[in-house]
């Protein structure tokens, strides 16, 4: 599992995600996803799926701040 995470991190650009009206905004289509985020939300290696463009991203959330680790195919 650690090797998979390292591979994903090395092949993709890490970056901060935007939040609009409490929901994570997809970095591909710029539309809100169904994933709500509160200021106290924390998650590691969460799969984020966009219902609009069908993109899947692995994200980390720490105290309401969202960071994309990689884009899955």
């Amino acid at each position: 599992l650690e090797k998979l995470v390292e591979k994903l991190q090395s092949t993709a650009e890490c970056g901060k995600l935007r939040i609009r009206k409490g929901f994570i905004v997809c970095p591909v289509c710029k539309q809100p996803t169904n994933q709500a985020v509160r200021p106290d939300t924390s998650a590691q290696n969460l799969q984020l799926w966009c219902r609009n463009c069908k993109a899947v991203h692995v994200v980390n959330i720490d105290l309401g701040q969202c960071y994309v680790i990689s884009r899955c195919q």
Side-chain angles (χ1 to χ4, degrees), residues 40-56:
D40 60 343
T41 301
S42 293
Q44 295 291 321
N45 300 323
L46 175 71
Q47 282 192 330
L48 178 68
W49 180 74
C50 178
R51 68 181 184 272
N52 299 307
C53 69
K54 311 298 188 250
V56 179

Side-chain angles (χ1 to χ4, degrees), residues 8-9 11-14 56-59 68-72:
L8 290 173
Q9 288 176 345
T11 59
E13 208 176 287
C14 295
V56 179
H57 299 275
V58 178
V59 299
V68 77
I69 296 174
S70 72
R71 180 175 180 186
C72 300

Side-chain angles (χ1 to χ4, degrees), residues 10-28:
S10 65
T11 59
E13 208 176 287
C14 295
K16 190 171 178 180
L17 294 174
R18 298 180 70 186
I19 298 175
R20 186 184 310 150
K21 296 182 182 177
F23 292 91
I24 299 174
V25 175
C26 176
V28 176

